[in-house]
Amino acid sequence: MALATEIIGGRLIDGSSFLPTSKMLTNQRVGMVKRNQFLGSPVLVPSQQIRRQEQLKRAVRAPVAAISEDIIKTNNKTTVPEKAVNFKVRAVVTVRNKHKEDLKATIVKQLDSFTDKIGRNVVLELISTDVDPKSKEPKRSKPAALRDWSKKSNLKAERVHYTAEFTVDSNFGVPGAITVSNKHQQEFFMESITIEGFACGPVHFPCNSWIQSKKDHPGKRILFSNKPYLPSETPAGLRALREKELRDLRGDGKGVRKLSDRIYDFDVYNDLGNPDKSVNLTRPSLGGKKIPFPRRCRTGRLPMDSDITAESRVEKPLPLYVPRDEQFEESKKNTFSAGRLKSVLHNIIPSLKATISAENHDFSGFSDIDILYKEGLLLKVGLQDEIWKNLPLPKVVTKIQESSEGLLKYDTPKILSRDKFAWLRDDEFARQAVSGVNPVSIESLKVFPPKSNLDPEIYGPQESAFKEEHILGHLNGLSVSQALEENKLFIIDYHDAYLPFLDRINALDGRKAYATRTMFFLTPLGTLKPIAIELSLPPAGPNSRSKRVVTPPMDATSNWVWQLAKAHVCSNDAGVHQLVNHWLRTHASLEPFILAAHRQMSAMHPIFKLLDPHMRYTLEINALARQNLINADGVIESCFTPGRYCMEISAAAYKSSWRFDKEGLPADLIRRGMAVPDPTQPHGLKLLIEDYPYAQDGLLIWSAIENWVRTYVERYYPDSSLVCNDKELQAWYSESINVGHFDLRDADWWPKLETTDDLVSILTTIIWLASAQHAALNFGQYPYGGYVPNRPPLMRRLIPEENDPEYANFLADPQKYYLLALPSLLQATKFMAVVDILSTHSPDEEYIGERQQPSIWSGDAEIIEAFYEFSAEIQQIEKEIDRRNADPRLKHRCGAGVLPYELLAPSSGPGVTCRGVPNSVSI
């Protein structure tokens, strides 16, 4: 605690050159006790304390202005002067340089360097937390310009430190805000400001924001110190500024947004189609009574010529609007990460098309797939593509001598790294249901046979085609009723998600799908095994056989039928994983909460400070997805079975099954019947499958997040009445629901926000979804899906029945039929290139338990200390996950050729690692 206090400002007084010489300084000292009323003494285990001391020492390498005696003359007199005296304080401003500048930016930078000398400079003004008793306005310092901008303009360092000197009088009080006027021609990134010279010690302003030129944005930028304030506790000098900043961020909902704007607003998904280009690229608007969906960030672009309800497209490589501070930071590392995605979308995929499309090659054998990893794929990249040499490409892409061809070589996916043929086995197929990339679909089977919730008038009988005779031989001697009673039967049921779309999907060229149900039995070893698969098609007539059950094989023919059935299940699973569990439940459903947070909660609100790292880059990656991934004829439509109906499947799930109150991990496990409440268990839950790696590890992280959030929330809301009366907090939650999730706003399941417990639950759920849930669903995409036969994202053939014309071909060459059912070479390589990028951690990733400027993000020393406790708990969780992955009793994560479950291991290096939990949905 002492160290945290020291960093925030308590003991740094002792090391300064100032001595209390006036009433001003004495008053400030008294005020410091008041302002640091939060300071307390949490109990620390000695080893934790030592480690935290080291963390704190490392963390606070922020520049601190050296205040020399010429700035303020010390005075040893004990008499208090009657008049306020002027004195000087110094700001140290840290600016982060851009790494890449084009010629125009370089010229403008030089111009700014020149004009800075003649007064077109960067001017700061300190604003006190107090108001002037005469003018009733906030007390302000005299404006001060940043020094030596022109002298330091050519420095190549990543960060450049500037200073400014302010004159304030002894009644100024404590600075709570700074305004910045940028009279240069171009923006710059202000990372932080530290003010030295006040008796309270350094005052920190973690800015992390782009400061726009006055020519683009005439108003002054307002930046607040790291001191958190509830709205009702806002000092008088900051109240008007707090409200003004929020008004600026909300905008007026009109006009086209400029890339330099910082305006957060809502809109529907009416920009996925492109009817102006082709009628085949028309897509329905998502969001509204007809097709409910969460809202996205408004850009205000003009409507399409052919459809005034659709927003015009901004096509790659031009950027889509997101508020300026939400865009990827332009550091070398992030440019690398974003550049990789763009290189894939703009260069590799067109080259794949040019190389493959003419013949639309299929895989002739499994060895053709292996070649992609061992030898690579020759690409016709064209003579004009000299830029290939300089692209930050995801894999080894090299020129072949001087010819116009390149070699695209894929990394071997992790699924092949330990056992090349594991994917063929039933035990691995079942293992991935609880420890693969989509471990959130499996449910406990409560009723046999399972039933549909679809309208039988339209979709036929609700009962499944599963019969007792299909599964009795696989229940280890149990009857079906015994197996149900003992919680031994589990199911992955995609019947209702797909059946309403199957007629349209199967009418698409080269797309074939079933609506599948897969039943699993929990063996005495504690492992799952698949015991039956149901394949459903829409009924063609009253007496049509629309459902088919496939069971584990007894001979060669049934073995190939079983493998094809599993491939169709995996294709269903890949679609629901991507469109529902990944895109809808993490990316899309969080965007309204992020937009509302910026619009309704001040940057000085403690809850905004808590959520801030969990909102990083989400608006930007979602905008990139609208532009390139989920748009008409984008990567998702091209690579997944539902094709042009992909986003309608996502929207159907939002309408029928998405519930915010069930999105937290414990509630979700209970909803799916995978756990039952049990107060004797560590997390208050008993898992029905003890060896359920996603749930086991997830509960550790969920509890750590919940404990951290509870500590934080109770710090600022010791009484529930404070929650009810916090107008910004209530406005945030209300707008998230009533505007951001407008189409479901009347649902009776939305949690109330009336008590401290309500707030803890809501915030824990949001942080869980942004961090661990997204990580579990995202970073295994290439490790598991990069080998297409393991998880084919689309299928092109149904399984032939004996009376089908194709049945003879299937019998004659079942491997060829199987490979023809999988994605084509173009579809597979395109999919692999994209999921490789989506599974990649950038080198500057910020993982759970980490924060930018960890020692000064909050001005509350006790909270800083609590955050380090949270970080230490996350480190212990990682060690526990490592221990579990080495435990031979846990066969879903340990065994011969079995991949360990590391998707919820908190830390990771850069690249495709199949582990690591970033703070936010950032890729």
Side-chain angles (χ1 to χ4, degrees):
M1 171 56 68
L3 275 160
T5 311
E6 182 173 339
I7 284 164
I8 291 168
R11 291 196 183 171
L12 283 172
I13 305 166
D14 302 341
S16 77
S17 61
F18 297 103
L19 295 172
T21 61
S22 67
K23 184 178 181 181
M24 176 276 298
L25 295 176
T26 306
N27 287 347
Q28 285 192 357
R29 288 230 168 176
V30 173
M32 187 59 191
V33 175
K34 212 171 189 179
R35 281 186 301 278
N36 274 350
Q37 61 188 304
F38 291 138
L39 305 183
S41 303
V43 177
L44 290 180
V45 180
S47 62
Q48 290 178 323
Q49 192 163 13
I50 292 165
R51 181 169 63 250
R52 194 139 311 101
Q53 286 172 355
E54 291 304 312
Q55 288 172 323
L56 285 162
K57 285 173 185 173
R58 284 197 302 271
V60 87
R61 297 284 169 84
V64 177
I67 305 298
S68 57
E69 291 186 5
D70 62 340
I71 295 178
I72 176 170
K73 303 295 182 184
T74 59
N75 188 337
N76 290 322
K77 293 180 182 177
T78 55
T79 56
V80 178
E82 293 178 6
K83 279 191 172 182
V85 296
N86 287 343
F87 69 103
K88 292 181 178 179
V89 295
R90 182 179 294 179
V92 176
V93 177
T94 303
V95 170
R96 192 185 302 165
N97 271 339
K98 289 186 179 181
H99 282 275
K100 288 185 178 178
E101 288 182 333
D102 57 23
L103 181 60
K104 180 184 175 185
T106 304
I107 292 169
V108 173
K109 185 176 180 180
Q110 294 303 318
L111 181 65
D112 283 341
S113 172
F114 173 75
T115 58
D116 189 86
K117 297 176 184 176
I118 57 172
R120 296 187 63 82
N121 47 18
V122 177
V123 178
L124 279 61
E125 193 175 13
L126 285 182
I127 300 174
S128 172
T129 55
D130 298 337
V131 294
D132 186 303
K134 293 179 182 175
S135 69
K136 307 301 182 188
E137 293 292 316
K139 295 178 182 177
R140 296 172 181 265
S141 70
K142 292 176 182 175
L146 284 192
R147 295 174 168 178
D148 299 330
W149 188 283
S150 56
K151 196 182 291 183
K152 296 181 178 181
S153 64
N154 290 322
L155 287 178
K156 300 299 182 189
E158 184 178 0
R159 290 172 176 81
V160 180
H161 307 304
Y162 300 93
T163 60
E165 205 171 86
F166 301 94
T167 300
V168 294
D169 70 37
S170 52
N171 293 325
F172 183 80
V174 176
I178 294 176
T179 62
V180 184
S181 295
N182 176 11
K183 300 177 188 175
H184 292 166
Q185 292 293 301
Q186 66 180 6
E187 65 179 8
F188 64 89
F189 188 82
M190 185 174 278
E191 190 170 85
S192 65
I193 303 172
T194 301
I195 307 294
E196 276 261 346
F198 288 95
C200 62
V203 182
H204 298 289
F205 292 75
C207 310
N208 296 309
S209 184
W210 290 97
I211 309 299
Q212 299 301 324
S213 167
K214 279 183 75 73
K215 69 180 176 61
D216 297 318
H217 295 267
K220 295 177 180 178
R221 267 303 303 279
I222 304 166
L223 299 162
F224 296 106
S225 79
N226 63 355
K227 173 79 175 178
Y229 294 104
L230 294 178
S232 60
E233 296 169 353
T234 310
L238 303 181
R239 284 176 201 151
L241 288 175
R242 184 172 186 148
E243 290 172 11
K244 180 186 185 307
E245 173 75 349
L246 286 174
R247 284 196 303 273
D248 290 347
L249 290 168
R250 285 194 285 265
D252 60 6
K254 299 174 184 174
V256 180
R257 297 273 65 86
K258 298 182 297 187
L259 290 174
S260 59
D261 285 347
R262 292 172 60 247
I263 293 176
Y264 297 78
D265 206 350
F266 298 91
D267 208 344
V268 295
Y269 282 71
N270 61 351
D271 62 342
L272 301 181
N274 195 348
D276 284 0
K277 186 175 180 181
S278 166
V279 68
N280 291 326
L281 296 177
T282 302
R283 295 293 181 271
S285 177
L286 306 182
K289 194 171 182 181
K290 192 174 178 186
I291 307 181
F293 208 65
R295 298 305 188 257
R296 49 94 173 176
C297 182
R298 179 185 178 275
T299 67
R301 296 193 306 273
L302 297 174
M304 292 272 181
D305 293 333
S306 54
D307 181 359
I308 60 166
T309 65
E311 193 172 83
S312 56
R313 295 274 305 164
V314 172
E315 299 295 356
K316 57 193 179 189
L318 296 174
L320 231 60
Y321 170 77
V322 294
R324 182 64 182 100
D325 289 341
E326 304 303 315
Q327 296 168 30
F328 290 136
E329 289 178 20
E330 203 176 79
S331 70
K332 190 179 292 182
K333 295 165 184 173
N334 273 334
T335 302
F336 174 68
S337 178
R340 283 162 53 107
L341 182 56
K342 286 175 181 165
S343 71
V344 167
L345 295 169
H346 308 159
N347 298 281
I348 289 184
I349 288 176
S351 297
L352 285 170
K353 287 179 178 176
T355 305
I356 301 168
S357 283
E359 297 90 1
N360 197 24
H361 294 296
D362 293 310
F363 294 112
S364 58
F366 289 103
S367 58
D368 286 2
I369 304 174
D370 296 339
I371 284 171
L372 295 174
Y373 315 115
K374 291 177 181 174
E375 299 173 23
L377 181 69
L378 282 175
L379 299 180
K380 296 170 184 172
V381 296
L383 294 172
Q384 78 280 9
D385 279 34
E386 275 301 306
I387 54 167
W388 276 68
K389 289 180 181 176
N390 303 316
L391 279 174
L393 293 175
K395 297 292 150 233
V396 184
V397 181
T398 56
K399 283 283 182 179
I400 305 298
Q401 298 170 351
E402 295 303 312
S403 70
S404 60
E405 294 181 326
L407 188 66
L408 176 62
K409 190 178 177 186
Y410 293 88
D411 276 348
T412 302
K414 207 165 184 180
I415 185 63
L416 300 181
S417 64
R418 295 196 176 195
D419 183 347
K420 184 178 176 182
F421 300 108
W423 67 276
L424 279 165
R425 296 199 317 266
D426 286 358
D427 63 285
E428 177 63 19
F429 172 78
R431 189 191 74 82
Q432 290 184 32
V434 289
S435 58
V437 72
N438 186 34
V440 298
S441 288
I442 190 167
E443 301 173 83
S444 173
L445 185 66
K446 300 301 183 190
V447 176
F448 185 90
K451 283 190 174 182
S452 166
N453 291 316
L454 297 175
D455 184 349
E457 295 287 318
I458 302 172
Y459 299 108
Q462 293 181 314
E463 289 75 22
S464 162
F466 285 136
K467 306 288 184 209
E468 289 200 8
E469 56 263 30
H470 290 133
I471 63 171
L472 263 179
H474 303 283
L475 302 184
N476 205 43
L478 298 176
S479 68
V480 173
S481 59
Q482 284 175 312
L484 284 172
E485 195 175 320
E486 294 180 22
N487 296 313
K488 299 293 186 186
L489 292 177
F490 297 85
I491 191 168
I492 294 180
D493 190 342
Y494 293 137
H495 180 277
D496 291 5
Y498 277 90
L499 197 69
F501 295 91
L502 281 187
D503 279 334
R504 286 175 283 169
I505 291 170
N506 289 336
L508 296 171
D509 187 33
R511 306 292 170 102
K512 290 291 180 279
Y514 298 98
T516 66
R517 289 186 175 112
T518 308
M519 199 175 299
F520 300 90
F521 176 68
L522 184 64
T523 71
L525 284 174
T527 57
L528 289 172
K529 71 172 184 180
I531 56 174
I533 294 171
E534 180 189 75
L535 306 167
S536 296
L537 293 169
N543 300 312
S544 68
R545 284 188 59 215
S546 59
K547 291 177 166 59
R548 175 181 182 180
V549 175
V550 180
T551 54
M554 305 295 288
D555 58 20
T557 303
S558 60
N559 180 65
W560 279 104
V561 170
W562 179 248
Q563 294 297 344
L564 279 164
K566 288 196 298 181
H568 273 283
V569 170
C570 288
S571 179
N572 267 193
D573 190 70
V576 169
H577 162 257
Q578 196 68 269
L579 305 171
V580 180
N581 297 333
H582 181 203
W583 171 256
L584 170 65
R585 292 176 62 187
T586 61
H587 286 261
S589 66
L590 284 174
E591 187 157 347
F593 291 98
I594 294 170
L595 290 168
H598 286 278
R599 287 167 53 84
Q600 301 298 343
M601 284 196 290
S602 166
M604 64 174 94
H605 197 293
I607 300 305
F608 184 91
K609 288 180 182 292
L610 174 69
L611 288 176
D612 189 37
H614 306 290
M615 304 189 289
R616 186 187 190 209
Y617 296 153
T618 303
L619 298 185
E620 170 83 340
I621 199 64
N622 285 3
L624 259 175
R626 295 203 318 274
Q627 187 180 41
N628 300 307
L629 300 179
I630 63 172
N631 59 303
D633 203 30
V635 170
I636 298 298
E637 287 193 4
S638 303
C639 294
F640 288 85
T641 304
R644 64 180 295 150
Y645 306 109
C646 279
M647 291 310 295
E648 291 182 60
I649 287 180
S650 186
Y654 179 67
K655 181 180 180 180
S656 65
S657 60
W658 185 85
R659 289 180 51 159
F660 181 76
D661 64 325
K662 302 296 185 187
E663 288 299 287
L665 179 59
D668 177 56
L669 291 171
I670 292 168
R671 169 173 63 172
R672 291 188 284 119
M674 298 302 291
V676 291
D678 184 345
T680 67
Q681 295 294 313
H683 307 288
L685 292 179
K686 178 176 174 18
L687 294 175
L688 297 192
I689 301 175
E690 285 185 28
D691 185 10
Y692 184 2
Y694 159 79
Q696 282 182 310
D697 297 356
L699 284 169
L700 292 177
I701 294 179
W702 170 271
S703 294
I705 294 170
E706 187 177 46
N707 291 340
W708 156 237
V709 169
R710 185 171 297 282
T711 299
Y712 193 98
V713 165
E714 289 178 350
R715 177 81 170 137
Y716 300 103
Y717 301 94
D719 187 276
S720 288
S721 64
L722 292 167
V723 173
C724 295
N725 295 327
D726 186 332
K727 62 179 184 179
E728 285 184 9
L729 183 74
Q730 293 294 336
W732 162 67
Y733 189 56
S734 174
E735 187 173 69
S736 297
I737 297 169
N738 294 314
V739 181
H741 287 279
F742 178 84
D743 306 322
L744 299 182
R745 70 194 184 282
D746 295 326
D748 59 7
W749 43 253
W750 282 104
K752 298 276 191 290
L753 180 51
E754 296 172 349
T755 67
T756 302
D757 284 345
D758 294 342
L759 181 55
V760 169
S761 174
I762 290 163
L763 294 173
T764 303
T765 299
I766 289 171
I767 294 171
W768 161 259
L769 290 172
S771 58
Q773 180 77 327
H774 178 259
L777 295 166
N778 185 75
F779 293 102
Q781 288 191 82
Y782 187 80
Y784 282 100
Y787 186 66
V788 167
N790 181 55
R791 282 179 67 76
L794 67 81
M795 294 293 284
R796 297 183 294 155
R797 299 278 191 283
L798 296 175
I799 303 172
E801 304 264 13
E802 287 187 30
N803 56 352
D804 291 340
E806 287 188 313
Y807 192 71
N809 295 333
F810 165 68
L811 287 181
D813 194 341
Q815 177 176 296
K816 182 179 180 182
Y817 189 93
Y818 183 90
L819 290 167
L820 286 173
L822 296 182
S824 67
L825 178 60
L826 173 60
Q827 290 165 332
T829 49
K830 183 177 178 178
F831 172 75
M832 289 161 64
V834 173
V835 293
D836 171 78
I837 297 304
L838 299 182
S839 307
T840 299
H841 291 293
S842 63
D844 74 331
E845 198 83 81
E846 189 182 280
Y847 296 96
I848 191 164
E850 298 176 351
R851 283 194 75 130
Q852 293 179 345
Q853 300 157 318
S855 60
I856 62 164
W857 62 269
S858 172
D860 185 340
E862 190 168 307
I863 285 300
I864 295 291
E865 193 65 32
F867 181 72
Y868 282 124
E869 292 286 347
F870 171 58
S871 299
E873 187 175 356
I874 293 294
Q875 290 169 20
Q876 290 305 310
I877 288 171
E878 181 150 335
K879 290 177 182 174
E880 172 61 16
I881 290 172
D882 290 343
R883 186 197 66 74
R884 290 174 176 178
N885 283 327
D887 187 343
R889 294 171 300 173
L890 302 176
K891 299 184 186 304
H892 284 148
R893 64 200 302 163
C894 183
V898 173
L899 289 183
Y901 186 72
E902 296 181 312
L903 286 167
L904 288 174
S907 72
S908 173
V912 181
T913 63
C914 203
R915 61 176 291 137
V917 179
N919 272 326
S920 63
V921 178
S922 56
I923 187 68

